[in-house]
Amino acid sequence: MYLLANGKLITRDSDLPYLADGGVVTDGGRIIDVGETVRLKEAYPQAEFVDARGGVIMPGLINAHTHIYSALARGLSIQGNNPTNFFEVLDGTWWAIDRHLDLEATRASAQALVIDSIKQGVTTIFDHHASYCQIPGSLMKIAEVTREYGMRACLCYEVSDRDGEKKSLQAVRENADFIAYCEQEKSDMLKAMFGGHALFTISDRTFERMEAANGGRVGYHIHVSEGMNDVYDSLQTYGRRPVQRLQDHGILGPRTILGHCIHVSTAEMDLIRATDTMVVNNPESNMGNAVGISPILPMYRKGILLGMGTDAYTNDMLESLKVALCSQRHNACLPNVAWCEVTDMLFKNNAKIANRSFEAPLGVLKAGAAADVIVMDYKPFTPFGSDNIDGHMLFGMTGRQCQTTMINGRLRMVDRELVDIDEEAVNAHVLESAKRLWGQLNHCTY
């Protein structure tokens, strides 16, 4: 049992949104009490005290779309790779990387991303993996890391026809086997979805195989209309827009996540809403790849459940929040829009998305909710409270200010020191894996 207190408590619970000096009591992976520090100390003298040191205590952050397989790309330059369009970005960078990821490199990638996420206050990830060098067992290799390091994770494998039928079939089987494993384990720390890359690399035959292998057990996690090539291919090859094609194959629904959705029509938005399908925006990645700005404002008005991810461009959800706001305002040419939309995406909707996969309530600090709690090292120099916390987060906080991270009632970082993780040893291992990968990509030694 822990008492994490002595901080400014932001609960995201409408019944008790803010306490100037509060905390939470956790036991067995759940929060059992929330209140003022003085009362909690008196009521739970047996609890181990974790001092927030006046920081901001808040629910752990959720990343609704990321890619572990890209973790070793930081600082990488591939010789001869100078992409001028989105397809060249995929083929020359990301597909080149995943075609060289064996199981050891996949494990190292997972170690790097999970540790970096913990250090930035992220307690739940929805990962979309690809390692076409070595597919079988790759999701289990990631699961070993998330279990060891205590990260709450929902995993899937990126089915694609881009490397031929044999690899496509292996990818379908990897999803099916991992879904079966998660069903047997029944752990609220590890869930599965059925992954797909993007429609322009998935044939109708492969969609049919995905449907058959899934059997309605879980939702799908797939990239949709991230680039115009997805739209062109769908119209030219199948005579349907991408979202319509997904509906034809039974992919849409309340448990399915559509990543990006930049080039979606009004009719497609209506179809997404009618099926209660989820959409996750990845603002920095979209801008970095020059594929456009997702129409968040019209989708929000239609009532689509919109969440926020990073596409692994960063692991800092607060950084993504800032870019989401600026990009939407820039796109709309209006300086007074998107505030509520983007803050809802991160702080409310990501929790709703997660709770379609996980049982314990996430994204809120209240009795019965998951004990996923973080402390931000933030000393405000202007008035601070429940009515302006989002303003402080947008303009005053970054993920690197996280000082303490608890996931499922387990302390993973305290005062910026990782718990039960030898960071120096792990970093050394990850660095060697990165050197090996870079050498393979550039045909040299690092």
Side-chain angles (χ1 to χ4, degrees):
M1 178 183 290
Y2 290 102
L3 167 56
L4 198 166
N6 188 30
K8 301 169 186 64
L9 181 70
I10 300 293
T11 67
R12 301 291 174 182
D13 177 12
S14 58
D15 292 335
L16 182 67
Y18 176 69
L19 287 172
D21 185 1
V24 299
V25 180
T26 70
D27 191 26
R30 296 289 182 109
I31 295 170
I32 62 172
D33 203 354
V34 177
E36 294 182 344
T37 299
V38 172
R39 180 184 71 79
L40 296 178
K41 281 186 173 182
E42 292 176 351
Y44 302 93
Q46 75 279 24
E48 182 177 340
F49 183 66
V50 181
D51 193 351
R53 304 180 190 278
V56 177
I57 304 170
M58 55 188 274
L61 298 168
I62 298 164
N63 188 342
H65 180 79
T66 190
H67 293 290
I68 278 171
Y69 78 84
S70 68
L72 303 186
R74 186 177 294 177
L76 170 65
S77 177
I78 301 176
Q79 295 172 10
N81 181 36
N82 182 30
T84 60
N85 57 56
F86 183 48
F87 180 83
E88 290 177 359
V89 170
L90 293 174
D91 190 50
T93 304
W94 305 118
W95 295 350
I97 288 173
D98 82 60
R99 286 169 181 146
H100 289 85
L101 280 186
D102 56 18
L103 291 183
E104 188 280 326
T106 289
R107 174 176 172 79
S109 299
Q111 289 173 315
L113 187 139
V114 170
I115 286 178
D116 205 44
S117 296
I118 289 170
K119 293 171 73 172
Q120 298 189 71
V122 174
T123 56
T124 300
I125 59 171
F126 282 73
D127 189 69
H128 193 276
H129 184 61
S131 54
Y132 275 83
C133 172
Q134 198 167 0
I135 298 170
S138 57
L139 293 182
M140 284 301 301
K141 191 61 65 174
I142 294 172
E144 291 172 5
V145 174
T146 62
R147 182 183 297 110
E148 179 183 357
Y149 293 174
M151 176 62 67
R152 197 181 301 272
C154 182
L155 310 179
C156 70
Y157 193 91
E158 178 180 292
V159 174
S160 173
D161 295 325
R162 63 179 181 261
D163 283 354
E165 185 176 35
K166 179 181 177 181
K167 294 289 187 179
S168 177
L169 289 170
Q170 287 182 345
V172 170
R173 174 51 52 192
E174 180 67 7
N175 278 296
D177 289 348
F178 189 71
I179 292 166
Y181 173 80
C182 289
E183 287 179 327
Q184 183 178 5
E185 287 293 298
K186 294 182 172 62
S187 169
D188 204 35
M189 293 296 292
L190 184 65
K191 299 295 181 181
M193 299 184 82
F194 207 110
H197 171 243
L199 287 84
F200 75 93
T201 71
I202 303 175
S203 67
D204 281 348
R205 176 72 181 278
T206 296
F207 268 131
E208 291 167 2
R209 288 168 172 166
M210 290 167 63
E211 291 177 81
N214 187 5
R217 291 177 293 173
V218 298
Y220 296 85
H221 191 168
I222 184 169
H223 301 115
V224 177
S225 299
E226 183 176 2
M228 280 302 296
N229 55 329
D230 210 16
V231 179
Y232 294 150
D233 178 81
S234 189
L235 288 170
Q236 293 169 1
T237 307
Y238 303 98
R240 307 281 278 164
R241 288 188 68 91
V243 176
Q244 294 171 319
R245 190 168 166 233
L246 291 175
Q247 176 71 347
D248 293 342
H249 289 287
I251 303 297
L252 303 180
R255 295 183 296 169
T256 287
I257 291 176
L258 309 183
H260 304 290
C261 286
I262 298 170
H263 305 287
V264 289
S265 67
T266 300
E268 287 179 293
M269 294 182 201
D270 290 337
L271 190 51
I272 293 169
R273 177 64 188 94
T275 55
D276 195 20
T277 304
M278 302 173 283
V279 172
V280 174
N281 180 226
N282 306 274
E284 288 180 283
S285 172
N286 297 160
M287 295 178 74
N289 289 327
V291 291
I293 304 294
S294 181
I296 291 302
L297 298 178
M299 284 197 285
Y300 192 93
R301 287 193 293 269
K302 287 184 176 292
I304 293 170
L305 180 54
L306 295 163
M308 189 176 297
T310 65
D311 210 33
Y313 196 93
T314 178
N315 297 313
D316 186 341
M317 296 307 301
L318 296 179
E319 178 183 311
S320 290
L321 178 69
K322 301 174 200 300
V323 175
L325 179 65
C326 293
S327 63
Q328 290 300 317
R329 289 182 170 181
H330 180 79
N331 195 47
C333 297
L334 289 170
N336 63 342
V337 299
W339 182 286
C340 294
E341 289 85 350
V342 300
T343 54
D344 278 358
M345 285 162 60
L346 179 57
F347 300 121
K348 295 181 181 179
N349 296 351
N350 272 13
K352 293 177 182 178
I353 288 171
N355 281 124
R356 292 188 180 184
S357 291
F358 297 94
E359 286 79 35
L362 302 175
V364 63
L365 303 183
K366 65 179 182 180
D372 292 2
V373 190
I374 63 174
V375 181
M376 303 297 289
D377 178 14
Y378 181 68
K379 304 297 188 292
F381 50 77
T382 57
F384 181 98
S386 59
D387 58 343
N388 69 354
I389 178 60
D390 291 340
H392 280 274
M393 291 192 177
L394 274 159
F395 300 112
M397 294 188 194
T398 68
R400 293 293 177 192
Q401 287 170 277
C402 183
Q403 68 185 40
T404 294
T405 301
M406 172 185 283
I407 310 176
N408 196 39
R410 183 183 175 194
L411 288 168
R412 307 314 305 132
M413 181 173 72
V414 177
D415 293 334
R416 291 194 170 90
E417 291 290 332
L418 294 173
V419 178
D420 298 327
I421 299 174
D422 187 341
E423 187 174 5
E424 292 299 322
V426 174
N427 278 2
H429 164 68
V430 172
L431 178 59
E432 289 306 310
S433 295
K435 287 179 178 179
R436 181 167 65 93
L437 174 66
W438 290 21
Q440 292 169 340
L441 290 167
N442 286 315
H443 309 291
C444 62
T445 301
Y446 281 88

